[in-house]
Amino acid sequence: MKITNYKLALFDLDGTLIKFAKEFLFSQTRAVYEKLSIEEASTETLEEYFSKFDFFGFVDDAKRSEFERVYWELFNWADYPAPEVLAGTLDTLSWLKENDVPSVIVTSRDEKPEGIAERFSGTGIEDFIIHIQSRSELEKEWHDKRPQIETVCRKFQVEPRECLFAGDVPPDIESAKACGVGLKIALLSGGIRKEVLEVTGPDLCLESVAQIPQKLALD
Ligand SMILES: [Mg+2]
């Protein structure tokens, strides 16, 4: 698991490098309740389902697909709060750079990479990220990152097994696993429970990206 085994580091964005804007997502959820005029779930309930990565599990089966459709219909990345870089992110990205491992963002946001980059300008992240792979309109399944991982590997002419991937939700790890990524790191920094992440079979489960240098320098 030494860092010298890898040529490229792939990072999810929200909940991995920057704080997951959970409160914003909850406020979006409340807007859907209002629009559909159905009784709201409590914040505790939303928190619970969030930590289980069952994002719409708090809605009755019969109404769930409509709820989900309206949620994404109302969703606007432009309203998303300003990024708050998680503790240790810049140190880890800097350490990777010193070890000749460039970093790439693989995000399920369906914004243009330039728009994402602009939002990050001034946070320091932009000094270390050589590429942002967002989700194209053709990729309908927001959680499936396989197409993005494959595109990045082709672009930088590396094999998936020569990459590490760090992310905070189960599909991050599942996508990396399906692509044959060499080192899959699950992170607890996004608020998903450890046991929920562990069933996806990551190679490492860490509190946050801050632990990556220590872990990969030693093992
Ligand atoms: Mg994430």
Side-chain angles (χ1 to χ4, degrees):
M1 258 183 227
K2 258 194 177 321
I3 190 59
T4 45
N5 295 334
Y6 306 101
K7 290 185 179 167
L8 194 64
L10 277 50
F11 288 99
D12 161 59
L13 181 57
D14 296 283
T16 295
L17 299 180
I18 63 167
K19 189 172 172 245
F20 197 95
K22 199 163 60 174
E23 291 75 17
F24 171 71
L25 299 185
F26 289 176
S27 74
Q28 296 281 297
T29 303
R30 302 212 182 282
V32 183
Y33 277 120
E34 209 168 294
K35 177 146 188 179
L36 297 179
S37 312
I38 51 179
E39 201 189 329
E40 277 187 32
S42 68
T43 302
E44 292 72 32
T45 303
L46 295 183
E47 292 271 3
E48 192 198 331
Y49 280 91
F50 177 84
S51 73
K52 291 195 288 192
F53 193 64
D54 188 0
F55 286 180
F56 294 99
F58 48 84
V59 188
D60 284 352
D61 288 354
K63 291 177 184 153
R64 195 170 304 144
S65 63
E66 191 191 4
F67 196 96
E68 206 165 330
R69 182 183 58 75
V70 174
Y71 183 91
W72 291 114
E73 207 173 85
L74 297 178
F75 200 90
N76 184 358
W77 284 112
D79 295 337
Y80 205 80
E84 192 179 316
V85 178
L86 286 170
T89 292
L90 298 181
D91 287 343
T92 292
L93 295 176
S94 167
W95 178 81
L96 287 165
K97 193 177 178 182
E98 282 162 26
N99 282 281
D100 297 320
V101 179
S103 294
V104 166
I105 289 176
V106 176
T107 175
S108 45
R109 292 191 186 197
D110 60 356
E111 280 180 290
K112 288 206 170 18
E114 305 80 57
I116 297 174
E118 201 179 300
R119 204 97 55 83
F120 287 102
S121 111
T123 62
I125 286 186
E126 71 276 16
D127 298 342
F128 303 107
I129 297 296
I130 61 163
H131 178 71
I132 298 173
Q133 190 69 43
S134 56
R135 182 165 53 104
S136 88
E137 282 167 25
L138 300 172
E139 292 152 9
K140 295 282 181 215
E141 295 296 331
W142 72 267
H143 44 77
D144 184 0
K145 288 189 174 170
R146 286 176 302 176
Q148 289 158 272
I149 294 172
E150 284 161 6
T151 302
V152 166
C153 287
R154 268 200 306 277
K155 181 176 171 64
F156 293 97
Q157 298 184 310
V158 294
E159 293 294 326
R161 65 179 153 76
E162 298 171 314
C163 300
L164 66 88
F165 187 106
D168 70 305
V169 296
D172 286 333
I173 305 305
E174 287 158 354
S175 301
K177 200 173 176 179
C179 290
V181 166
L183 180 65
K184 304 167 291 295
I185 308 172
L187 303 168
L188 303 178
S189 48
I192 305 296
R193 288 181 205 168
K194 192 175 183 179
E195 58 270 28
V196 175
L197 284 164
E198 276 180 340
V199 292
T200 63
D203 302 296
L204 283 175
C205 189
L206 305 176
E207 288 296 328
S208 74
V209 288
Q211 293 180 321
I212 290 178
Q214 195 195 10
K215 203 68 198 166
L216 297 194
L218 294 178
D219 291 359

